[in-house]
């Protein structure tokens, strides 16, 4: 058992079971490099403000840099009895440079220190996710562009509804993921706030310059309220909410791929390299990647609910409960980043079965709405037109024909309004290309949407887009 920085007022040593129970080093070791960077900046600020001397600061900074190097070289074993990453680094610093190390924690508490570290960690994690969302959307747009002539049935209630372009379906996911990216940008803004100087909860009496620390660490703002700075985790909650929503989108995409790759649909073939087999049924090729993305969505929801629940009853300001913010956060970051990575790689390798899709779009009376709308343009009231079209469908069903296989005579049995031009609107191509309303599936709309997306993505890549 080691001495604790706070053991001055304690008559007993910490029980080993309590040490194990309260330790966060098992997971907050992930904050290691941020803790070092944060401490170096804090130390520079202390010296600049003459709170410690330049000489003391340079000893401390050299020591911290040496620790970072030791860690990289595998020469630094973290010690569980030292509770967390912050105390591990400080203890090592004392070991290396002696008592001057004890000055580093001047004007700082672990409460503002841990808030700083987590903000720095999340800033990097979100920045990576923003890049990944650009990459994944680029994959989707390229894929949509390559398949602009592929027609598929669009569904409602999982029943064939109306034909759409396959690319239109892909671009729907592009839109969802674009909004996800906007959400993560918002998360980044609210994460990029520097809390040091808040100390335990009330601020510090030392003449710190938090703006300088923020500048050294590349933060855009300094926290406005010390209690808020140490007690709030809504930047993490917001991240988890954005991650959960993004996972919903990936999960729905997964479900589409699971369905489409089934024998029943046969719309897509998943690449062998991204599928797995069965240990008993030799014929099987399973969409495990998609299934796992769908399932991992649940983990991310779990993280969000876990942290919401941790936060909801906490009195101000810092409580040890807040240590429980890290595992859900780290798990959600790993999960989301993993899912984004695998889909960016998988999408270009999907094989589209255009014949199966087009076949499904041309059977099942997906053009019944067209018949009703046609009668409306010829002067019928929509209710009457709908009823009449329904009767035509029933007749065609009895005849085992599709609507475009009926003759004009057959149509005319149901209404005198039918003319030869009824045959200009009944094929899937005609249906698609007449849907020119904004955001509709007409080829020229979708081509335009792809072009706009390309411009947006180019700006994101050049750093101009947010
Ligand atoms: N490991 C702690 C956490 O993650 C660090 C802060 C400890 N502060 C304290 N007052 N005990 O929140």
């Amino acid at each position: 058992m080691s001495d604790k920085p706070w053991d001055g007022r304690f008559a007993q040593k910490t029980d080993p079971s309590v040490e194990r129970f309260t330790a966060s080093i098992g997971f907050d070791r992930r904050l290691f490099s941020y803790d070092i960077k944060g401490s170096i900046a804090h130390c520079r600020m202390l010296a600049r403000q003459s709170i410690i001397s330049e000489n003391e600061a340079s000893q401390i900074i050299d020591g911290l840099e040496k620790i970072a190097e030791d860690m990289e070289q595998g020469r630094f074993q973290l010690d569980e009895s030292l509770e967390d990453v912050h105390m591990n680094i400080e203890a090592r610093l004392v070991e290396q440079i002696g008592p001057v190390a004890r000055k580093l924690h001047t004007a700082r508490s672990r409460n503002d220190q841990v808030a700083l570290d987590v903000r720095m960690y999340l800033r990097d994690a979100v920045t990576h996710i923003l890049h990944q969302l650009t990459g994944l959307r680029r994959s989707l747009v390229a894929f949509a562009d390559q398949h602009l002539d592929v027609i598929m049935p669009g569904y409602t209630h999982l029943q064939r509804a109306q034909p759409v372009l396959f690319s239109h379906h892909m671009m729907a996911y592009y839109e969802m993921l674009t909004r996800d990216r906007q959400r993560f940008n918002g998360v980044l803004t609210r994460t990029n706030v520097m809390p040091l100087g808040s100390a335990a909860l009330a601020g510090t009496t030392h003449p710190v310059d938090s703006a300088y620390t923020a500048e050294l660490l590349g933060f855009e703002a300094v926290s406005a309220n010390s209690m808020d700075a140490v007690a709030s985790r809504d930047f993490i909650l917001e991240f988890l909410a954005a991650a959960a929503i993004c996972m919903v989108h990936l999960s729905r995409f997964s479900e589409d791929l699971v369905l489409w790759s089934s024998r029943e649909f046969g719309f897509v073939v998943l690449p062998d390299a991204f599928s797995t087999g069965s240990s008993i049924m030799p014929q099987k090729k399973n969409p495990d990647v998609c299934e796992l993305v769908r399932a991992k969505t649940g983990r991310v929801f779990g993280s969000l609910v876990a942290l919401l629940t941790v936060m909801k009853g906490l009195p101000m300001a810092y409580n040890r409960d807040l240590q429980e913010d890290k595992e859900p956060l780290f798990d959600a970051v790993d999960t989301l980043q993993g899912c984004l990575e695998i889909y960016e790689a998988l999408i270009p390798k999907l094989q589209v079965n255009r014949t199966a899709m087009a076949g499904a779009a041309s059977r099942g009376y997906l053009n019944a709405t067209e018949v009703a709308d046609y009668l409306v343009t010829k002067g019928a009231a929509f209710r009457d037109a709908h009823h009449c079209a329904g009767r035509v469908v029933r007749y065609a069903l009895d005849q085992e024909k599709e609507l475009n296989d009926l003759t004009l005579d057959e149509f005319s049995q149901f209404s005198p309004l039918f003319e030869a031009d009824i045959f200009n609107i009944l094929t899937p191509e005609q249906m698609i290309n007449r849907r020119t309303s904004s955001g509709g599936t007409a080829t020229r709309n979708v081509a335009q949407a792809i072009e706009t997306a390309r411009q947006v993505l180019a700006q994101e890549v050049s750093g101009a887009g947010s």
Side-chain angles (χ1 to χ4, degrees):
M1 235 190 303
S2 41
D3 292 340
K4 305 277 189 280
W6 35 257
D7 64 5
R9 62 97 63 219
F10 283 73
Q12 294 178 336
K13 293 256 182 217
T14 316
D15 192 276
S17 67
V18 173
E19 274 183 348
R20 280 195 303 277
F21 187 71
T22 55
S24 55
I25 188 65
F27 48 88
D28 67 15
R29 59 178 65 222
R30 200 189 274 231
L31 300 175
F32 184 88
S33 66
Y34 301 106
D35 201 70
I36 299 267
K37 281 186 205 133
S39 286
I40 290 175
H42 178 65
C43 187
R44 292 219 156 94
M45 182 281 295
L46 291 176
R48 190 169 185 256
Q49 297 299 101
S50 306
I51 300 169
I52 63 173
S53 74
E54 286 292 346
N55 179 270
E56 288 163 339
S58 66
Q59 289 181 57
I60 293 171
I61 292 168
D62 288 351
L64 288 168
E65 282 169 351
K66 174 81 173 36
I67 292 172
E69 208 184 288
D70 285 351
M71 188 63 163
E72 230 163 80
Q73 312 283 324
R75 287 193 302 255
F76 183 4
Q77 286 297 321
L78 295 162
D79 177 353
E80 181 140 316
S81 71
L82 287 172
E83 202 173 306
D84 59 23
V85 68
H86 324 292
M87 307 239 268
N88 263 276
I89 291 173
E90 196 177 317
R92 177 77 163 203
L93 192 64
V94 174
E95 237 171 74
Q96 284 197 338
I97 65 168
V100 63
R102 296 174 161 279
K103 295 207 166 186
L104 170 62
H105 212 51
T106 312
R108 189 175 74 172
S109 150
R110 268 189 300 156
N111 298 353
D112 56 349
Q113 185 179 0
V114 72
L116 174 77
D117 293 2
V118 176
R119 283 175 181 274
M120 288 171 72
Y121 161 80
L122 186 54
R123 196 169 63 167
D124 278 358
V126 172
T127 303
H128 184 61
I129 289 167
L130 291 173
H131 288 304
Q132 288 188 300
L133 280 166
T134 301
L136 175 56
R137 282 156 56 247
R138 212 186 306 138
S139 269
L140 271 174
V141 170
F143 199 64
D145 196 27
Q146 284 156 20
H147 295 89
L148 201 49
D149 55 340
V150 176
I151 289 175
M152 68 179 296
Y155 294 82
T156 62
H157 313 270
L158 201 53
Q159 307 289 325
R160 288 180 200 168
Q162 289 173 347
V164 291
L165 288 183
F166 173 72
S167 302
H168 196 48
H169 196 130
M170 290 297 108
M171 291 302 287
Y173 284 111
Y174 165 83
E175 294 295 338
M176 294 176 225
L177 294 169
T178 301
R179 291 191 298 277
D180 287 327
R181 196 170 184 283
Q182 290 163 355
R183 270 184 280 274
F184 283 115
N185 256 315
V187 171
L188 187 57
T189 305
R190 282 173 288 283
T191 299
N192 207 3
V193 176
M194 210 290 298
L196 281 191
S198 302
L201 78 163
T204 171
T205 55
H206 296 287
V208 295
D209 182 352
S210 299
Y212 180 63
T213 315
E215 191 191 313
L216 290 176
L217 293 171
F219 278 94
E220 275 167 11
V222 173
S223 53
N225 180 299
S226 60
M227 295 179 78
D228 176 43
V230 296
S232 296
R233 295 293 184 269
D234 52 273
F235 67 101
I236 303 181
L237 288 174
E238 207 179 331
F239 168 77
L240 293 173
I245 295 171
C246 186
M247 286 299 297
V248 169
H249 296 151
L250 298 181
S251 186
R252 295 186 73 175
F253 186 61
S254 304
E255 176 59 13
D256 274 344
L257 292 180
V258 169
L259 281 173
W260 292 350
S261 62
S262 69
R263 189 66 171 262
E264 283 67 19
F265 276 77
F267 286 1
V268 298
V269 180
L270 296 173
D272 279 1
F274 286 75
S275 310
T276 49
S278 158
S279 54
I280 178 166
M281 296 166 284
Q283 86 283 9
K284 291 286 291 275
K285 178 166 142 187
N286 296 327
D288 296 33
V289 166
C290 309
E291 292 170 307
L292 283 171
V293 171
R294 191 173 61 184
K296 284 173 190 292
T297 303
R299 293 172 75 113
V300 178
F301 290 6
S303 293
L304 171 61
V305 173
L307 189 59
L308 282 168
T309 313
V310 165
M311 299 305 297
K312 72 175 276 290
L314 289 189
M316 288 286 273
Y318 179 87
N319 302 270
R320 189 61 178 269
D321 309 52
L322 292 172
Q323 179 167 293
E324 289 285 312
D325 61 352
K326 287 168 207 62
E327 284 167 294
L329 171 62
F330 296 157
D331 192 72
V333 167
D334 291 345
T335 304
L336 178 61
Q337 289 182 348
C339 294
L340 291 170
E341 184 185 331
I342 200 133
Y343 268 145
E344 181 179 346
L346 181 146
I347 288 170
K349 302 191 174 72
L350 275 174
Q351 205 182 306
V352 171
N353 185 343
R354 61 184 69 223
T355 319
M357 286 196 194
S362 58
R363 288 187 303 275
Y365 308 101
L366 283 79
N367 45 7
T369 316
E370 312 304 288
V371 175
D373 283 340
Y374 173 88
L375 292 171
V376 168
T377 62
K378 300 279 171 175
F382 182 74
R383 289 264 177 257
D384 299 332
H386 186 282
H387 182 73
C388 178
R391 289 176 57 228
V392 179
V393 170
R394 196 169 50 190
Y395 170 83
L397 269 169
D398 287 345
Q399 302 293 311
E400 294 182 7
K401 286 179 173 177
E402 285 295 323
L403 295 181
N404 29 341
D405 297 330
L406 300 179
T407 63
L408 182 55
D409 280 348
E410 288 174 299
F411 273 111
S412 300
Q413 290 167 27
F414 299 93
S415 166
L417 296 175
F418 285 113
E419 293 172 65
D421 60 354
I422 181 68
F423 297 107
N424 296 341
I425 62 168
L426 293 180
T427 68
E429 289 80 2
Q430 290 162 343
M431 290 178 67
I432 283 171
N433 286 320
R434 293 178 72 236
R435 283 177 162 68
T436 52
S437 58
S438 71
T441 191
T443 306
R444 74 175 151 93
N445 285 15
V446 178
Q448 180 58 56
I450 289 172
E451 178 50 33
T452 305
R454 283 238 154 90
Q455 287 164 15
V456 169
L457 289 166
Q459 282 204 333
E460 283 173 19
V461 172
S462 74
S466 57

